[in-house]
mmCIF file of all heavy atoms in Angstrom:
data_model
loop_
_atom_site.group_PDB
_atom_site.id
_atom_site.type_symbol
_atom_site.label_atom_id
_atom_site.label_comp_id
_atom_site.label_asym_id
_atom_site.label_seq_id
_atom_site.Cartn_x
_atom_site.Cartn_y
_atom_site.Cartn_z
ATOM 1 N N LYS G 317 24.855 -14.155 10.924
ATOM 2 C CA LYS G 317 24.896 -13.291 12.152
ATOM 3 C C LYS G 317 24.658 -14.087 13.398
ATOM 4 O O LYS G 317 25.174 -13.740 14.486
ATOM 5 C CB LYS G 317 23.854 -12.149 11.960
ATOM 6 C CG LYS G 317 24.143 -11.161 10.921
ATOM 7 C CD LYS G 317 23.246 -9.970 10.961
ATOM 8 C CE LYS G 317 21.767 -10.303 10.727
ATOM 9 N NZ LYS G 317 21.539 -10.996 9.403
ATOM 10 N N ILE G 318 23.848 -15.120 13.317
ATOM 11 C CA ILE G 318 23.608 -15.867 14.558
ATOM 12 C C ILE G 318 24.867 -16.579 15.054
ATOM 13 O O ILE G 318 25.101 -16.710 16.231
ATOM 14 C CB ILE G 318 22.475 -16.970 14.298
ATOM 15 C CG1 ILE G 318 21.914 -17.373 15.633
ATOM 16 C CG2 ILE G 318 22.991 -18.180 13.537
ATOM 17 C CD1 ILE G 318 20.628 -18.157 15.488
ATOM 18 N N TRP G 319 25.778 -16.921 14.098
ATOM 19 C CA TRP G 319 27.032 -17.550 14.464
ATOM 20 C C TRP G 319 28.056 -16.537 14.918
ATOM 21 O O TRP G 319 28.855 -16.776 15.808
ATOM 22 C CB TRP G 319 27.554 -18.369 13.325
ATOM 23 C CG TRP G 319 26.585 -19.480 12.900
ATOM 24 C CD1 TRP G 319 25.695 -19.450 11.907
ATOM 25 C CD2 TRP G 319 26.390 -20.682 13.603
ATOM 26 N NE1 TRP G 319 24.937 -20.573 11.918
ATOM 27 C CE2 TRP G 319 25.332 -21.392 12.956
ATOM 28 C CE3 TRP G 319 26.953 -21.282 14.746
ATOM 29 C CZ2 TRP G 319 24.920 -22.667 13.356
ATOM 30 C CZ3 TRP G 319 26.533 -22.528 15.109
ATOM 31 C CH2 TRP G 319 25.502 -23.178 14.444
ATOM 32 N N LEU G 320 28.023 -15.341 14.307
ATOM 33 C CA LEU G 320 28.903 -14.282 14.703
ATOM 34 C C LEU G 320 28.631 -13.836 16.139
ATOM 35 O O LEU G 320 29.535 -13.686 16.992
ATOM 36 C CB LEU G 320 28.796 -13.067 13.733
ATOM 37 C CG LEU G 320 29.296 -13.288 12.335
ATOM 38 C CD1 LEU G 320 28.963 -12.073 11.453
ATOM 39 C CD2 LEU G 320 30.749 -13.597 12.306
ATOM 40 N N PHE G 321 27.353 -13.596 16.462
ATOM 41 C CA PHE G 321 26.994 -13.215 17.828
ATOM 42 C C PHE G 321 27.326 -14.363 18.827
ATOM 43 O O PHE G 321 27.702 -14.135 19.939
ATOM 44 C CB PHE G 321 25.526 -12.871 17.903
ATOM 45 C CG PHE G 321 25.204 -11.471 17.507
ATOM 46 C CD1 PHE G 321 24.548 -11.191 16.330
ATOM 47 C CD2 PHE G 321 25.577 -10.375 18.333
ATOM 48 C CE1 PHE G 321 24.265 -9.913 15.947
ATOM 49 C CE2 PHE G 321 25.287 -9.072 17.944
ATOM 50 C CZ PHE G 321 24.647 -8.833 16.791
ATOM 51 N N LEU G 322 27.147 -15.629 18.350
ATOM 52 C CA LEU G 322 27.490 -16.749 19.217
ATOM 53 C C LEU G 322 28.963 -16.688 19.656
ATOM 54 O O LEU G 322 29.282 -16.835 20.818
ATOM 55 C CB LEU G 322 27.220 -18.072 18.463
ATOM 56 C CG LEU G 322 27.733 -19.328 19.182
ATOM 57 C CD1 LEU G 322 27.052 -19.580 20.483
ATOM 58 C CD2 LEU G 322 27.580 -20.544 18.260
ATOM 59 N N PHE G 323 29.854 -16.455 18.665
ATOM 60 C CA PHE G 323 31.273 -16.405 19.002
ATOM 61 C C PHE G 323 31.625 -15.190 19.860
ATOM 62 O O PHE G 323 32.518 -15.245 20.725
ATOM 63 C CB PHE G 323 32.124 -16.415 17.719
ATOM 64 C CG PHE G 323 32.212 -17.793 17.114
ATOM 65 C CD1 PHE G 323 31.647 -18.029 15.878
ATOM 66 C CD2 PHE G 323 32.875 -18.798 17.750
ATOM 67 C CE1 PHE G 323 31.776 -19.267 15.293
ATOM 68 C CE2 PHE G 323 32.961 -20.065 17.194
ATOM 69 C CZ PHE G 323 32.413 -20.317 15.966
ATOM 70 N N CYS G 324 30.909 -14.070 19.650
ATOM 71 C CA CYS G 324 31.067 -12.939 20.531
ATOM 72 C C CYS G 324 30.829 -13.306 22.002
ATOM 73 O O CYS G 324 31.613 -13.007 22.890
ATOM 74 C CB CYS G 324 30.121 -11.790 20.126
ATOM 75 S SG CYS G 324 30.496 -10.876 18.601
ATOM 76 N N TRP G 325 29.709 -13.958 22.220
ATOM 77 C CA TRP G 325 29.298 -14.365 23.568
ATOM 78 C C TRP G 325 30.244 -15.452 24.111
ATOM 79 O O TRP G 325 30.703 -15.360 25.260
ATOM 80 C CB TRP G 325 27.888 -14.917 23.577
ATOM 81 C CG TRP G 325 26.919 -13.985 24.225
ATOM 82 C CD1 TRP G 325 26.520 -14.003 25.520
ATOM 83 C CD2 TRP G 325 26.187 -12.904 23.585
ATOM 84 N NE1 TRP G 325 25.582 -12.971 25.738
ATOM 85 C CE2 TRP G 325 25.339 -12.322 24.555
ATOM 86 C CE3 TRP G 325 26.142 -12.431 22.281
ATOM 87 C CZ2 TRP G 325 24.513 -11.231 24.272
ATOM 88 C CZ3 TRP G 325 25.292 -11.362 21.996
ATOM 89 C CH2 TRP G 325 24.475 -10.765 22.987
ATOM 90 N N ALA G 326 30.589 -16.465 23.242
ATOM 91 C CA ALA G 326 31.371 -17.566 23.759
ATOM 92 C C ALA G 326 32.777 -17.137 24.176
ATOM 93 O O ALA G 326 33.218 -17.457 25.300
ATOM 94 C CB ALA G 326 31.485 -18.616 22.641
ATOM 95 N N PHE G 327 33.462 -16.385 23.346
ATOM 96 C CA PHE G 327 34.829 -15.905 23.706
ATOM 97 C C PHE G 327 34.783 -15.019 24.926
ATOM 98 O O PHE G 327 35.612 -15.071 25.827
ATOM 99 C CB PHE G 327 35.455 -15.151 22.524
ATOM 100 C CG PHE G 327 35.895 -16.050 21.376
ATOM 101 C CD1 PHE G 327 35.617 -15.666 20.055
ATOM 102 C CD2 PHE G 327 36.479 -17.251 21.648
ATOM 103 C CE1 PHE G 327 36.032 -16.498 19.032
ATOM 104 C CE2 PHE G 327 36.900 -18.070 20.601
ATOM 105 C CZ PHE G 327 36.667 -17.715 19.296
ATOM 106 N N TYR G 328 33.748 -14.164 24.942
ATOM 107 C CA TYR G 328 33.656 -13.224 26.094
ATOM 108 C C TYR G 328 33.407 -13.949 27.410
ATOM 109 O O TYR G 328 33.998 -13.662 28.432
ATOM 110 C CB TYR G 328 32.540 -12.191 25.820
ATOM 111 C CG TYR G 328 32.409 -11.188 26.984
ATOM 112 C CD1 TYR G 328 33.252 -10.096 27.059
ATOM 113 C CD2 TYR G 328 31.458 -11.337 27.941
ATOM 114 C CE1 TYR G 328 33.144 -9.198 28.121
ATOM 115 C CE2 TYR G 328 31.307 -10.492 29.021
ATOM 116 C CZ TYR G 328 32.157 -9.406 29.061
ATOM 117 O OH TYR G 328 32.061 -8.515 30.123
ATOM 118 N N THR G 329 32.451 -14.899 27.391
ATOM 119 C CA THR G 329 32.119 -15.558 28.665
ATOM 120 C C THR G 329 33.236 -16.413 29.160
ATOM 121 O O THR G 329 33.459 -16.539 30.389
ATOM 122 C CB THR G 329 30.827 -16.453 28.491
ATOM 123 O OG1 THR G 329 31.000 -17.337 27.382
ATOM 124 C CG2 THR G 329 29.616 -15.564 28.284
ATOM 125 N N VAL G 330 34.016 -17.044 28.250
ATOM 126 C CA VAL G 330 35.223 -17.786 28.679
ATOM 127 C C VAL G 330 36.173 -16.880 29.360
ATOM 128 O O VAL G 330 36.760 -17.200 30.439
ATOM 129 C CB VAL G 330 35.888 -18.501 27.498
ATOM 130 C CG1 VAL G 330 37.227 -19.097 27.923
ATOM 131 C CG2 VAL G 330 35.001 -19.599 26.936
ATOM 132 N N GLY G 331 36.310 -15.656 28.808
ATOM 133 C CA GLY G 331 37.268 -14.716 29.386
ATOM 134 C C GLY G 331 36.843 -14.014 30.654
ATOM 135 O O GLY G 331 37.712 -13.497 31.345
ATOM 136 N N THR G 332 35.578 -14.027 30.969
ATOM 137 C CA THR G 332 35.114 -13.263 32.166
ATOM 138 C C THR G 332 34.388 -14.038 33.207
ATOM 139 O O THR G 332 34.308 -13.620 34.398
ATOM 140 C CB THR G 332 34.154 -12.093 31.705
ATOM 141 O OG1 THR G 332 33.031 -12.664 31.036
ATOM 142 C CG2 THR G 332 34.913 -11.127 30.792
ATOM 143 N N THR G 333 33.790 -15.179 32.876
ATOM 144 C CA THR G 333 32.996 -15.923 33.857
ATOM 145 C C THR G 333 33.872 -16.354 35.039
ATOM 146 O O THR G 333 33.418 -16.300 36.189
ATOM 147 C CB THR G 333 32.349 -17.173 33.207
ATOM 148 O OG1 THR G 333 31.516 -16.748 32.101
ATOM 149 C CG2 THR G 333 31.530 -17.965 34.221
ATOM 150 N N GLY G 334 35.100 -16.758 34.749
ATOM 151 C CA GLY G 334 36.011 -17.180 35.841
ATOM 152 C C GLY G 334 36.227 -16.071 36.833
ATOM 153 O O GLY G 334 36.267 -16.302 38.037
ATOM 154 N N LEU G 335 36.405 -14.871 36.358
ATOM 155 C CA LEU G 335 36.629 -13.671 37.211
ATOM 156 C C LEU G 335 35.408 -13.460 38.145
ATOM 157 O O LEU G 335 35.562 -13.238 39.347
ATOM 158 C CB LEU G 335 36.892 -12.435 36.379
ATOM 159 C CG LEU G 335 36.970 -11.095 37.160
ATOM 160 C CD1 LEU G 335 38.165 -11.098 38.075
ATOM 161 C CD2 LEU G 335 37.018 -9.917 36.215
ATOM 162 N N GLN G 336 34.193 -13.505 37.524
ATOM 163 C CA GLN G 336 32.983 -13.299 38.310
ATOM 164 C C GLN G 336 32.820 -14.382 39.395
ATOM 165 O O GLN G 336 32.441 -14.115 40.524
ATOM 166 C CB GLN G 336 31.754 -13.236 37.401
ATOM 167 C CG GLN G 336 31.810 -12.088 36.432
ATOM 168 C CD GLN G 336 30.765 -12.190 35.350
ATOM 169 O OE1 GLN G 336 30.036 -13.157 35.318
ATOM 170 N NE2 GLN G 336 30.732 -11.220 34.427
ATOM 171 N N PHE G 337 33.109 -15.624 38.984
ATOM 172 C CA PHE G 337 32.918 -16.729 39.878
ATOM 173 C C PHE G 337 33.964 -16.725 41.035
ATOM 174 O O PHE G 337 33.614 -17.057 42.184
ATOM 175 C CB PHE G 337 33.058 -18.075 39.105
ATOM 176 C CG PHE G 337 32.895 -19.301 39.932
ATOM 177 C CD1 PHE G 337 31.637 -19.632 40.443
ATOM 178 C CD2 PHE G 337 33.953 -20.182 40.107
ATOM 179 C CE1 PHE G 337 31.464 -20.784 41.189
ATOM 180 C CE2 PHE G 337 33.803 -21.316 40.883
ATOM 181 C CZ PHE G 337 32.543 -21.625 41.403
ATOM 182 N N TYR G 338 35.134 -16.263 40.732
ATOM 183 C CA TYR G 338 36.230 -16.308 41.690
ATOM 184 C C TYR G 338 36.544 -14.997 42.380
ATOM 185 O O TYR G 338 37.487 -14.908 43.173
ATOM 186 C CB TYR G 338 37.501 -16.895 41.034
ATOM 187 C CG TYR G 338 37.608 -18.375 41.246
ATOM 188 C CD1 TYR G 338 37.032 -19.239 40.370
ATOM 189 C CD2 TYR G 338 38.345 -18.895 42.299
ATOM 190 C CE1 TYR G 338 37.174 -20.616 40.526
ATOM 191 C CE2 TYR G 338 38.451 -20.230 42.531
ATOM 192 C CZ TYR G 338 37.869 -21.120 41.601
ATOM 193 O OH TYR G 338 37.970 -22.457 41.799
ATOM 194 N N GLN G 339 35.759 -13.966 42.051
ATOM 195 C CA GLN G 339 36.122 -12.647 42.633
ATOM 196 C C GLN G 339 36.212 -12.650 44.132
ATOM 197 O O GLN G 339 37.144 -12.133 44.689
ATOM 198 C CB GLN G 339 35.118 -11.578 42.135
ATOM 199 C CG GLN G 339 35.446 -10.193 42.640
ATOM 200 C CD GLN G 339 34.613 -9.123 41.930
ATOM 201 O OE1 GLN G 339 34.664 -9.054 40.713
ATOM 202 N NE2 GLN G 339 33.922 -8.346 42.679
ATOM 203 N N PRO G 340 35.207 -13.222 44.880
ATOM 204 C CA PRO G 340 35.341 -13.280 46.308
ATOM 205 C C PRO G 340 36.599 -14.035 46.802
ATOM 206 O O PRO G 340 37.262 -13.637 47.749
ATOM 207 C CB PRO G 340 34.083 -13.980 46.822
ATOM 208 C CG PRO G 340 33.096 -13.772 45.683
ATOM 209 C CD PRO G 340 33.941 -13.814 44.422
ATOM 210 N N THR G 341 36.919 -15.119 46.114
ATOM 211 C CA THR G 341 38.064 -15.909 46.488
ATOM 212 C C THR G 341 39.357 -15.187 46.201
ATOM 213 O O THR G 341 40.298 -15.224 46.972
ATOM 214 C CB THR G 341 38.044 -17.285 45.736
ATOM 215 O OG1 THR G 341 36.824 -17.921 46.012
ATOM 216 C CG2 THR G 341 39.207 -18.151 46.190
ATOM 217 N N VAL G 342 39.409 -14.521 45.009
ATOM 218 C CA VAL G 342 40.591 -13.776 44.631
ATOM 219 C C VAL G 342 40.863 -12.669 45.665
ATOM 220 O O VAL G 342 42.013 -12.465 46.102
ATOM 221 C CB VAL G 342 40.441 -13.127 43.237
ATOM 222 C CG1 VAL G 342 41.537 -12.153 42.928
ATOM 223 C CG2 VAL G 342 40.466 -14.248 42.168
ATOM 224 N N ILE G 343 39.810 -11.973 46.073
ATOM 225 C CA ILE G 343 39.957 -10.939 47.073
ATOM 226 C C ILE G 343 40.422 -11.502 48.404
ATOM 227 O O ILE G 343 41.294 -10.954 49.052
ATOM 228 C CB ILE G 343 38.620 -10.119 47.246
ATOM 229 C CG1 ILE G 343 38.342 -9.330 45.999
ATOM 230 C CG2 ILE G 343 38.695 -9.221 48.474
ATOM 231 C CD1 ILE G 343 37.031 -8.606 45.964
ATOM 232 N N ALA G 344 39.875 -12.657 48.782
ATOM 233 C CA ALA G 344 40.297 -13.279 50.036
ATOM 234 C C ALA G 344 41.766 -13.705 49.981
ATOM 235 O O ALA G 344 42.501 -13.595 50.936
ATOM 236 C CB ALA G 344 39.414 -14.481 50.321
ATOM 237 N N ASN G 345 42.170 -14.226 48.800
ATOM 238 C CA ASN G 345 43.551 -14.637 48.610
ATOM 239 C C ASN G 345 44.546 -13.491 48.599
ATOM 240 O O ASN G 345 45.758 -13.680 48.742
ATOM 241 C CB ASN G 345 43.708 -15.453 47.335
ATOM 242 C CG ASN G 345 43.089 -16.873 47.514
ATOM 243 O OD1 ASN G 345 42.905 -17.331 48.618
ATOM 244 N ND2 ASN G 345 42.751 -17.495 46.369
ATOM 245 N N LEU G 346 44.047 -12.270 48.393
ATOM 246 C CA LEU G 346 44.926 -11.123 48.479
ATOM 247 C C LEU G 346 45.322 -10.791 49.891
ATOM 248 O O LEU G 346 46.153 -9.897 50.123
ATOM 249 C CB LEU G 346 44.216 -9.909 47.832
ATOM 250 C CG LEU G 346 44.086 -9.916 46.308
ATOM 251 C CD1 LEU G 346 43.203 -8.710 45.844
ATOM 252 C CD2 LEU G 346 45.442 -9.878 45.623
ATOM 253 N N GLY G 347 44.739 -11.477 50.865
ATOM 254 C CA GLY G 347 45.101 -11.256 52.244
ATOM 255 C C GLY G 347 43.995 -10.610 53.079
ATOM 256 O O GLY G 347 44.147 -10.397 54.277
ATOM 257 N N PHE G 348 42.854 -10.296 52.447
ATOM 258 C CA PHE G 348 41.725 -9.723 53.186
ATOM 259 C C PHE G 348 40.950 -10.866 53.819
ATOM 260 O O PHE G 348 40.334 -11.665 53.133
ATOM 261 C CB PHE G 348 40.836 -8.927 52.237
ATOM 262 C CG PHE G 348 41.522 -7.784 51.595
ATOM 263 C CD1 PHE G 348 41.795 -7.813 50.197
ATOM 264 C CD2 PHE G 348 41.959 -6.689 52.313
ATOM 265 C CE1 PHE G 348 42.411 -6.786 49.586
ATOM 266 C CE2 PHE G 348 42.615 -5.604 51.660
ATOM 267 C CZ PHE G 348 42.869 -5.672 50.301
ATOM 268 N N THR G 349 40.983 -11.007 55.120
ATOM 269 C CA THR G 349 40.341 -12.135 55.799
ATOM 270 C C THR G 349 39.040 -11.662 56.426
ATOM 271 O O THR G 349 38.763 -10.564 56.664
ATOM 272 C CB THR G 349 41.282 -12.688 56.908
ATOM 273 O OG1 THR G 349 41.559 -11.628 57.829
ATOM 274 C CG2 THR G 349 42.585 -13.218 56.255
#
Side-chain angles (χ1 to χ4, degrees):
K317 293 189 298 301
I318 201 169
W319 300 99
L320 293 175
F321 277 108
L322 170 65
F323 284 114
C324 286
W325 252 268
F327 287 137
Y328 180 81
T329 54
V330 172
T332 59
T333 301
L335 172 66
Q336 296 169 0
F337 180 68
Y338 265 87
Q339 184 168 303
T341 305
V342 169
I343 291 176
N345 287 339
L346 287 174
F348 301 109
T349 58

